[in-house]
C-alpha cells in the first residue's frame, strides 16, 4: 500500500515537472517569434526608407527657369502711357520744352507754371502727330516736379511727394518717351536732401539740391552737385559729386 502511494506521488511530480518545462519552452518560443517579427518589421521600415531616399535621389533635376525679357522700370514707380485727343486742352502746366531736333515737346501738367503747387501732375508729350500723357501708376503721393531733355528720346525727371511744403524736390529718374521705360538714377539717401533740377551740359549733368539744415525742416540751403561722364547707357558707371567735389553717390556702381 505504501508503495502504491509513493508511486502515485512520483507520477504526480513528474507530470507537474513536465508541464512546467512545456510552459517555459512555449514562452521562449513566443518571445523569439515576437523578436523575429519585430526585426522583420524593422527591416521593412528600413527598406522603405531606403527606397524613399533612393527615389528622392533619383528624382530628375528641374530645368533652370529662364526669365523672359521684361520692360525695365524703376522698382518704385511705373508710368502709364496714354494717347490723348489732339484737341485736348493742356492747362495749369509748366513751360513746354523741346528736344534738340524738335520732334517732341514736353511739360508737366497739373502743378502750375513752376510745378510747385499741391497735387499730382503728369507729363505731357507732343509729337507732330499725337499727344501722350505719362502718369505714375497707382501712386497719388508722388508726382513729377521737374523735367529736362538729355537727348531726343530721354527725359530727366525729378519725382517727389505731390503734397507738403517741405517737399521741394525728390529723386532723379530717366524716362524714355518712346517706350515708356523708366529707371531711377539717384535715390537720395535722406529726405533732407532733395534734387530740384537737372540740366545737361555736354557729358555733365548739373544738379540743384535742396539740403535741410535741421531736423524740423525749417532751415535749408541749395548746393550744386554734378553727375560726371553722364550717359543714357544704364550700364555705365557715373559719379555724383557735391559742391565740395566729394563723391556722394555712384550710379551703376
Amino acid at each position: 500500500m505504501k508503495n502504491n502511494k509513493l508511486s502515485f506521488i512520483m507520477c504526480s511530480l513528474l507530470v507537474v515537472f513536465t508541464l512546467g518545462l512545456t510552459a517555459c519552452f512555449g514562452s521562449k518560443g513566443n518571445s523569439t517569434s515576437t523578436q523575429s517579427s519585430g526585426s522583420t518589421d524593422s527591416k521593412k521600415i528600413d527598406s522603405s526608407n531606403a527606397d524613399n531616399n533612393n527615389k528622392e535621389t533619383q528624382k530628375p533635376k528641374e530645368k533652370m527657369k529662364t526669365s523672359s525679357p521684361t520692360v525695365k522700370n524703376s522698382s518704385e514707380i511705373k508710368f502709364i502711357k496714354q494717347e490723348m485727343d489732339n484737341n485736348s486742352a493742356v492747362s495749369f502746366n509748366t513751360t513746354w520744352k523741346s528736344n534738340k531736333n524738335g520732334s517732341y515737346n514736353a511739360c508737366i501738367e497739373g502743378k502750375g507754371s513752376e510745378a510747385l503747387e499741391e497735387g499730382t501732375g503728369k507729363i505731357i508729350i507732343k509729337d507732330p502727330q499725337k499727344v501722350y500723357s505719362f502718369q505714375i501708376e497707382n501712386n497719388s503721393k508722388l508726382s513729377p516736379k521737374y523735367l529736362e531733355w538729355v537727348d531726343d528720346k530721354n527725359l530727366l525727371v525729378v519725382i517727389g511727394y505731390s503734397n507738403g511744403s517741405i517737399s521741394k524736390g525728390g529723386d532723379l529718374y530717366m524716362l524714355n518717351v518712346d517706350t515708356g521705360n523708366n529707371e531711377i538714377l539717384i535715390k537720395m539717401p535722406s529726405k533732407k536732401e532733395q534734387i530740384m533740377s537737372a540740366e545737361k551740359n555736354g557729358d555733365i549733368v548739373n544738379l540743384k539740391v535742396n539740403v535741410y539744415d535741421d531736423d524740423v525742416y525749417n532751415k535749408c540751403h541749395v548746393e550744386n552737385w554734378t553727375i560726371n561722364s553722364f550717359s543714357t547707357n544704364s550700364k555705365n558707371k557715373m559719379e555724383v559729386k557735391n559742391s565740395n567735389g566729394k563723391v556722394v553717390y555712384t550710379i551703376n556702381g
Side-chain angles (χ1 to χ4, degrees), residues 25-44:
F25 281 113
S27 175
K28 287 182 179 180
N30 289 338
S31 176
T32 303
S33 175
T34 301
Q35 290 177 0
S36 176
S37 174
S39 176
T40 302
D41 289 342
S42 177
K43 287 180 180 179
K44 287 181 179 178

Side-chain angles (χ1 to χ4, degrees), residues 74-80 111 119-122 134-144 159-163 171 173 187:
S74 160
S75 59
E76 295 182 351
I77 68 169
K78 180 179 180 181
F79 280 101
I80 300 174
K111 289 186 68 66
T120 303
K122 55 186 175 182
F134 290 83
Q135 190 164 9
I136 299 173
E137 183 180 40
N138 298 327
N139 198 328
S140 60
K141 294 181 179 180
L142 295 176
S143 173
I159 296 177
Y161 288 111
S162 56
N163 298 294
D171 302 322
Y173 292 74
K187 174 70 175 177

Side-chain angles (χ1 to χ4, degrees), residues 91-97 106-118 145-147:
S91 60
F92 205 47
N93 58 286
T94 60
T95 302
W96 290 95
K97 293 184 177 181
C107 75
I108 298 173
E109 183 187 34
K111 289 186 68 66
S113 60
E114 301 296 328
L116 296 176
E117 303 297 330
E118 299 283 314
K145 302 171 88 65
Y146 181 90
L147 55 77

Side-chain angles (χ1 to χ4, degrees), residues 235-252:
K235 295 181 180 180
N236 286 10
K237 179 180 177 180
M238 295 169 270
E239 292 183 338
V240 181
K241 296 183 179 181
N242 65 10
S243 299
N244 298 320
K246 179 182 177 182
V247 177
V248 293
Y249 196 92
T250 302
I251 302 171
N252 303 324

Side-chain angles (χ1 to χ4, degrees), residues 176-195:
N176 185 300
V177 297
D178 274 357
T179 64
N181 291 353
N182 78 87
E183 59 183 295
I184 189 166
L185 297 179
I186 301 177
K187 174 70 175 177
M188 299 301 280
S190 170
K191 292 181 180 179
K192 289 184 176 182
E193 299 173 340
Q194 303 169 4
I195 298 171

Side-chain angles (χ1 to χ4, degrees), residues 84 86 88-99 103-109 112-113 122-127 130-133 147-149 155:
M84 299 171 62
N86 288 339
S88 297
V90 177
S91 60
F92 205 47
N93 58 286
T94 60
T95 302
W96 290 95
K97 293 184 177 181
S98 300
N99 62 356
S103 57
Y104 289 109
N105 286 282
C107 75
I108 298 173
E109 183 187 34
S113 60
K122 55 186 175 182
I123 297 172
I124 307 296
I125 301 294
K126 283 184 180 181
D127 67 22
K130 297 179 181 180
V131 182
Y132 299 93
S133 68
L147 55 77
E148 188 74 33
W149 291 101
L155 278 171

Side-chain angles (χ1 to χ4, degrees), residues 2-3 9 15-17 58 77 86 89 94 97 109 125 156 165 185 205 212 221 240 242:
K2 289 181 180 180
N3 291 334
I9 291 170
V15 170
V16 170
F17 180 74
Q58 294 172 3
I77 68 169
N86 288 339
T94 60
K97 293 184 177 181
E109 183 187 34
I125 301 294
L156 291 177
S165 59
L185 297 179
V205 173
Y212 281 99
H221 67 277
V240 181
N242 65 10

